[in-house]
Amino acid sequence: MATFNAIVPTQVKSTLYAPATFNSQYNFVTGMQLANPNNTTVTLTIKYYDAAGQQLLTITPNGAVGVFQPNVNSLSANVTSTAISSNQPLIMTVNELGPGPISGTYVGLASGNTNVALPVMAKGFAGFVTGATIYNTSSTSPATLTFTYLDAAGNPTGASQTKTIAPNASFLVYQGDTNQNLANGFFGTALITSNQPLLVTTNALNTNSNLFYTYTEPS
């Protein structure tokens, strides 16, 4: 089951991002629905990027459009993030479909932040494990970020990381990886600071029941 919030005016923008876009990676695929709330025809451009920030493909449809990534001709399975630009403000939702019953939804994001808080990080807590896709929204400058875990009491824990992400590139942090140095049963938060605006999409999977949900920051 997947849900998403009503879209508020601050999320209706002429530039939107989908930080996590899948075309068969990890057995996930995504579809984007872009709606035109204006009374004039919209022309938009969709640019796909891989994890290194290399542009893979550009498509330019007119009006409102639904895009299912596996149906996009010539789109590499290396795609990780997507940027949409338009001559009119748009509304966008992104649907994620994984193996079996796994699915999630998030709203397209309009702008990033240099300080991002992730309120739910887990490794084995109540069967949940999380993974976060961190996207550098700058098209010209690398982002140097610091990623720090905090436990439920607000104390630093796990492995603090410093990472440089190329322009338009993304970085996946999976809390289940041993190099995160998180204790099994961990439940806490994460703080990210960066010299460039970032957007983050976090997926949470219950490995016992396949319950799955997604949240985005900033939202």
Side-chain angles (χ1 to χ4, degrees), residues 102-115:
I102 297 173
S103 62
T105 297
Y106 66 91
V107 174
L109 301 171
S111 60
N113 204 307
T114 56
N115 293 282

Side-chain angles (χ1 to χ4, degrees):
M1 182 179 69
T3 62
F4 62 90
N5 296 329
I7 297 174
V8 299
T10 56
Q11 292 170 314
V12 183
K13 298 289 184 179
S14 57
T15 300
L16 292 170
Y17 300 96
T21 308
F22 300 106
N23 189 27
S24 299
Q25 311 95 302
Y26 316 109
N27 294 317
F28 273 82
V29 294
T30 54
M32 300 182 296
Q33 179 63 36
L34 296 132
N36 177 12
N38 311 284
N39 58 9
T40 56
T41 299
V42 64
T43 299
L44 61 93
T45 299
I46 302 174
K47 294 181 179 180
Y48 293 100
Y49 297 93
D50 64 15
Q54 301 296 312
Q55 186 174 318
L56 299 175
L57 187 68
T58 300
I59 57 176
T60 308
N62 291 315
V65 63
V67 183
F68 184 50
Q69 271 58 246
N71 293 342
V72 177
N73 292 333
S74 303
L75 181 61
S76 166
N78 294 325
V79 63
T80 59
S81 302
T82 306
I84 296 94
S85 56
S86 168
N87 64 334
Q88 299 284 346
L90 298 173
I91 299 168
M92 179 174 69
T93 58
V94 182
N95 297 317
E96 301 179 322
L97 176 63
I102 297 173
S103 62
T105 297
Y106 66 91
V107 174
L109 301 171
S111 60
N113 204 307
T114 56
N115 293 282
V116 180
L118 305 182
V120 177
M121 295 274 99
K123 178 188 176 183
F125 178 81
F128 278 95
V129 62
T130 55
T133 301
I134 304 168
Y135 176 58
N136 177 12
T137 63
S138 173
S139 60
T140 57
S141 300
T144 299
L145 63 89
T146 300
F147 186 100
T148 304
Y149 292 108
L150 303 174
D151 63 20
N155 301 309
T157 188
S160 179
Q161 301 159 77
T162 299
K163 178 78 174 179
T164 297
I165 307 178
N168 292 315
S170 59
F171 171 49
L172 174 64
V173 184
Y174 178 57
Q175 280 63 65
D177 285 342
T178 56
N179 62 6
Q180 302 302 300
N181 292 337
L182 295 173
N184 191 43
F186 167 75
F187 179 78
T189 62
L191 299 177
I192 308 172
T193 59
S194 171
N195 64 335
Q196 298 294 333
L198 304 174
L199 293 171
V200 184
T201 299
T202 300
N203 293 324
L205 172 66
N206 187 299
T207 56
N208 298 323
S209 64
N210 282 336
L211 177 66
F212 185 85
Y213 71 90
T214 299
Y215 70 89
T216 52
E217 295 292 336
S219 61

